[in-house]
Amino acid sequence: MSTDKKQAPTSAYDAGMINRRRVLGDAWVDKSLANRNSFNAEFQEMITRHAWNDIWGRPALGDKTRRFMVLSMLLGVKSFEEFVMHVRAALDGPPESRLTPEDIKEIIMMSAIYVGVPAANHAFGLATAVLKEKGLIPDAAP
């Protein structure tokens, strides 16, 4: 199966891989694929076909709206490792779907009301670490 971004997709997997790379970036996807083994390979193929093709490939909402939704839902289910991955992807994504630190702050603020203060507090710590790592906020508060 080809994942070359210049070729037209020939399968649901190929189409999903194009979306997955666009949203998460090549480095993250390459790392994920390098960790495939006989135990998890079918899972990786399934999420590429279904999450990244069947859902992220739908035209109605667009990537930027989906980023808002994914970050919100990940906070709702307290999937913090995935939240950090999607914060990085949202900050590094293509300009038309990239989120700003302010966007991410607003997602977390709203989650404090609908998900809970402990989850939001933890999310602020995680997002702050990513933002500092990327040089997007200073180390000290104003």
Side-chain angles (χ1 to χ4, degrees), residues 19-118:
N19 292 335
R20 191 175 181 185
R21 287 184 179 283
R22 183 186 73 248
V23 172
L24 297 179
D26 288 332
W28 181 266
V29 175
D30 290 344
K31 177 183 168 189
S32 179
L33 295 175
N35 289 324
R36 280 184 301 190
N37 56 50
S38 62
F39 184 69
N40 67 17
E42 289 178 76
F43 176 74
Q44 287 293 319
E45 290 175 17
M46 179 195 68
I47 63 171
T48 300
R49 286 190 319 271
H50 296 295
W52 295 107
N53 179 52
D54 295 345
I55 300 304
W56 278 88
R58 295 175 61 84
L61 298 176
D63 287 351
K64 190 165 190 167
T65 298
R66 289 185 195 284
R67 288 188 191 282
F68 278 101
M69 293 174 67
V70 166
L71 288 171
S72 298
M73 288 185 275
L74 290 171
L75 285 175
V77 297
K78 298 173 179 66
S79 183
F80 295 115
E81 186 175 319
E82 291 278 321
F83 174 78
V84 169
M85 176 187 70
H86 279 276
V87 165
R88 277 195 177 90
L91 294 167
D92 294 338
E96 65 275 7
S97 70
R98 190 174 300 149
L99 299 185
T100 66
E102 188 69 22
D103 293 331
I104 293 167
K105 177 172 76 175
E106 290 304 319
I107 292 166
I108 300 170
M109 292 290 289
M110 192 164 187
S111 76
I113 301 305
Y114 288 95
V115 175
V117 170

